[in-house]
Amino acid sequence: MPVISLDAALPSQQLSVTPPRDGLALRGRIQIPGDKSISHRALMLGAVAEGETVIQGLLLGEDPRSTARCFQALGAEISELNAEKVIVKGIGLGNLQEPGDILDAGNSGTTLRLMLGLLAAQPGCFFSLTGDQSLRSRPMSRVIAPLEKMGAQIWGRRQNSLAPLAVQGQVLKPIHYISPIASAQVKSCVLLAGLNIPGETQVTEPALSRDHSERMLKAFGADLTVDPETRSVCLRGPARLRGQAVTVPGDISSAAFWLVAAAILPGSDLLIENVGVNPTRTGVLEALAAMGADITQENQREVAGEPVADLRVKAGPLNGVTLGGDLIPRLIDEIPILAVAAAYAQGTTRIEDAAELRVKESDRLAVMARELSALGAQVTELPDGLDITGGTPLRGGAVDSYTDHRIAMSLAIAALGAQGQTVLSQAEAASISYPDFFATLARLCGDEG
Ligand code: S3P
């Protein structure tokens, strides 16, 4: 009997996971899809640069597709998306065209928030922007506030805080923005708005968030300095961006599902190839190391300005830990799967300082607390985190992704170590960031052929 089966007849897919009674071990080597954050940035910077950008390894998930569609509507020529090679013919900064229709960012917060910075700084053009139901409930005030300080004109629902949004592009002025939250989307939005403005646009953040924008802007020719001591970035505009060759490494946020799966399933030994290990993203490796996981980095190298390695993970006992403070922005997207690791660890794991999870694609604290509890885990929801006491064996049950890609994949991994069948509803959400997730899962479970 196959371990994994997907009911594709439904408009919303149901995944059934039935682990064998004597357990499952994941062995071999796998490749993971391209980094989502880097894929968005490569498409956007390619679109506003002069000349051609050639992207290798682009993530083919729904989110980058939303970015590509929006920038095509804004006038950039983008070839058919495939992982080998995508060519973006840039139109140059300040040359975005006013589209005749609404720009739809789908489920993607990064698309909407980063794009807003570029559009707000496009004088004379009017833009309307929207997204799916999840995105229309996520706070946009965090990017609208600094943009308004720069002189932007933006309107939205609920006192200008929710999409759909309307933007009347303006000539902006540079600011030094002291951000109240450690958010790469906020930082990147302000920097992108600053690209076409003469003078210094600065952003200071309370803790370090992912720095892919800074790295890629420099590679495209922007005059930008980073002060790690004060966590400040200073961009001197106007910039002239030139198209580049970008190689997108594998997404550590996608690798995280396999890291945890192999760590918790006895007998596993998995090599995950070509994973981006930018230090602003490797909080998950630190957290799992603190839990006692056996993970080693092999073949460390640098590809197109980003550190990359192969990760080998072997199963072994995990223990509970406390995760909080400045570590949180460096593992923000991995908290759902770390909660799964915690449910399989001995002792209590406390996740704190993570209230930000309540405004992701779903309220990830509430959803993980409820859905892991449905599988028999001992979880207490905190205002800004979770308390998870592991050690009790999980049992199969009915769970739901709440249309959140990271929840879908985290629950599928949780089910692999549970006793009996788990049925996951709205499993198709995984395609936002990892279209091949279930195929890889089936292969690793030996369901092929
Ligand atoms: C992202 C930044 C993070 C992250 C998101 C992608 C980015 O969001 O959660 O999945 O590509 O800049 P915040 O900046 O809101 O923390």
Side-chain angles (χ1 to χ4, degrees):
M1 199 176 91
V3 178
I4 304 298
S5 72
L6 203 55
D7 187 343
L10 296 162
S12 151
Q13 289 183 340
Q14 272 191 352
L15 176 83
S16 157
V17 182
T18 315
R21 274 179 194 282
D22 55 351
L24 194 65
L26 306 187
R27 303 181 73 86
R29 53 175 65 210
I30 57 166
Q31 299 231 329
I32 48 162
D35 187 277
K36 180 156 81 69
S37 294
I38 297 175
S39 295
H40 284 302
R41 287 158 173 80
L43 289 166
M44 288 191 196
L45 293 194
V48 296
E50 290 166 36
E52 238 178 51
T53 288
V54 181
I55 310 169
Q56 201 221 316
L58 188 88
L59 167 66
L60 303 180
E62 292 303 322
D63 273 9
R65 289 185 193 280
S66 295
T67 294
R69 264 194 304 272
C70 288
F71 280 83
Q72 279 166 336
L74 291 162
E77 237 182 79
I78 302 175
S79 69
E80 203 185 308
L81 300 192
N82 66 63
E84 277 76 57
K85 192 182 186 185
V86 173
I87 299 174
V88 183
K89 291 201 173 122
I91 47 179
L93 266 172
N95 292 332
L96 293 173
Q97 290 158 22
E98 181 179 279
D101 206 345
I102 300 167
L103 295 163
D104 188 350
N107 191 244
S108 177
T110 308
T111 306
L112 190 54
R113 294 194 178 119
L114 267 58
M115 183 166 63
L116 205 54
L118 290 169
L119 302 186
Q122 186 65 59
C125 291
F126 178 83
F127 308 94
S128 35
L129 301 87
T130 193
D132 69 6
Q133 196 182 356
S134 153
L135 189 54
R136 281 183 274 114
S137 69
R138 296 179 64 188
M140 293 300 138
S141 29
R142 57 183 57 199
V143 284
I144 294 175
L147 290 174
E148 281 181 337
K149 282 191 203 284
M150 299 172 91
Q153 284 197 9
I154 302 170
W155 299 266
R157 295 185 300 128
R158 307 271 163 87
Q159 279 136 9
N160 288 0
S161 66
L162 296 180
L165 301 173
V167 181
Q168 180 64 57
Q170 299 294 326
V171 176
L172 301 184
K173 56 178 193 292
I175 56 164
H176 180 181
Y177 187 58
I178 311 224
S179 176
I181 47 173
S183 160
Q185 293 179 354
V186 172
K187 175 173 62 179
S188 306
C189 170
V190 175
L191 292 174
L192 292 179
L195 283 174
N196 217 9
I197 313 174
E200 292 188 351
T201 295
Q202 272 191 66
V203 186
T204 300
E205 49 183 351
L208 193 60
S209 66
R210 64 192 66 191
D211 67 356
H212 305 301
S213 295
E214 294 90 308
R215 287 173 188 253
M216 205 183 287
L217 279 167
K218 266 194 203 165
F220 273 71
D223 179 3
L224 178 140
T225 43
V226 177
D227 181 353
E229 291 270 297
T230 58
R231 297 168 311 281
S232 296
V233 190
C234 178
L235 172 89
R236 278 164 293 276
R240 212 162 155 203
L241 305 182
R242 307 214 182 258
Q244 297 294 313
V246 180
T247 304
V248 183
D251 197 328
I252 191 166
S253 298
S254 298
F257 301 108
W258 308 120
L259 290 173
V260 170
I264 63 174
L265 296 171
S268 297
D269 181 350
L270 202 59
L271 184 72
I272 310 167
E273 294 175 334
N274 186 34
V275 184
V277 287
N278 177 319
T280 61
R281 296 287 298 283
T282 48
V284 63
L285 299 181
E286 288 158 48
L288 287 171
M291 296 177 87
D294 180 355
I295 300 172
T296 45
Q297 293 193 30
E298 299 176 2
N299 191 14
Q300 289 172 328
R301 57 220 186 255
E302 190 159 309
V303 179
E306 290 278 349
V308 173
D310 301 334
L311 302 180
R312 180 173 290 283
V313 51
K314 293 182 186 162
L318 300 180
N319 50 264
V321 282
T322 296
L323 305 173
D326 287 359
L327 181 62
I328 296 297
R330 297 198 300 115
L331 49 66
I332 189 76
D333 293 337
E334 289 70 73
I335 289 175
I337 190 62
L338 285 169
V340 173
Y344 282 92
Q346 288 300 322
T348 299
T349 292
R350 167 161 290 195
I351 296 164
E352 54 193 24
D353 306 318
E356 185 62 21
L357 259 71
R358 296 201 181 278
V359 291
K360 291 293 181 188
E361 286 83 330
S362 69
D363 177 343
R364 289 181 173 163
L365 297 179
V367 173
M368 283 312 287
R370 189 166 55 232
E371 302 308 284
L372 278 180
S373 301
L375 299 178
Q378 290 177 43
V379 188
T380 310
E381 188 181 338
L382 310 171
D384 67 341
L386 296 170
D387 256 348
I388 301 157
T389 302
T392 335
L394 300 194
R395 49 177 154 70
V399 288
D400 198 312
S401 78
Y402 288 82
T403 72
D404 183 328
H405 56 127
R406 303 210 192 276
I407 302 282
M409 293 183 274
S410 299
L411 293 173
I413 299 299
L416 289 181
Q419 287 157 12
Q421 187 194 32
T422 295
V423 176
L424 167 67
S425 297
Q426 309 201 78
E428 74 284 355
S431 65
I432 291 291
S433 61
Y434 202 155
D436 291 337
F437 179 78
F438 297 120
T440 303
L441 183 61
R443 180 169 69 77
L444 284 172
C445 291
D447 284 350
E448 247 180 9

